[in-house]
Amino acid sequence: MAYLLFLLTALSLHANEVDYRRSVITDPSISRRCEKLLQKRKRKLNHKQKLQGLIRRNENLQKSAPRERQTLIKKLEKNLGQLKQELKITLLEIENQEENIIRKGCPGVTL
């Protein structure tokens, strides 16, 4: 009797496992595509962090630069503007990348 109960339990577990395999996306091409999208997003996030660090560094240099060095201050201000512009572009690219990940339907991805 116990053996029969064991067999029924095992069969029901196997049926649940087969049903699980059918309901979960296991296509390797989807996984590779999603992995590439996530890697690209990660590179953009790293780029954003580097830009933010450079902006902070530039602002600190502007604070410590002597006022007599007008050309240095102008170059730092110009550089700061370029860094902020690149940061805006990077933020837009990150947002676009996240929308692509959602649109492509990557399973199990949390942003």
Side-chain angles (χ1 to χ4, degrees), residues 53-65:
L54 288 171
I55 288 171
R56 279 192 301 275
R57 184 177 178 189
N58 186 301
E59 289 169 347
N60 289 337
L61 285 172
Q62 283 186 24
K63 288 177 186 175
S64 65

Side-chain angles (χ1 to χ4, degrees), residues 4 11-12 16 19 24 31 53 60 66-67 77 81 86 97 100 104:
L4 184 60
L11 285 175
S12 68
N16 288 339
D19 187 46
V24 173
S31 298
N60 289 337
R67 295 291 160 212
E77 288 172 353
E86 190 168 344
Q97 196 64 36
N100 278 339
K104 302 283 181 176

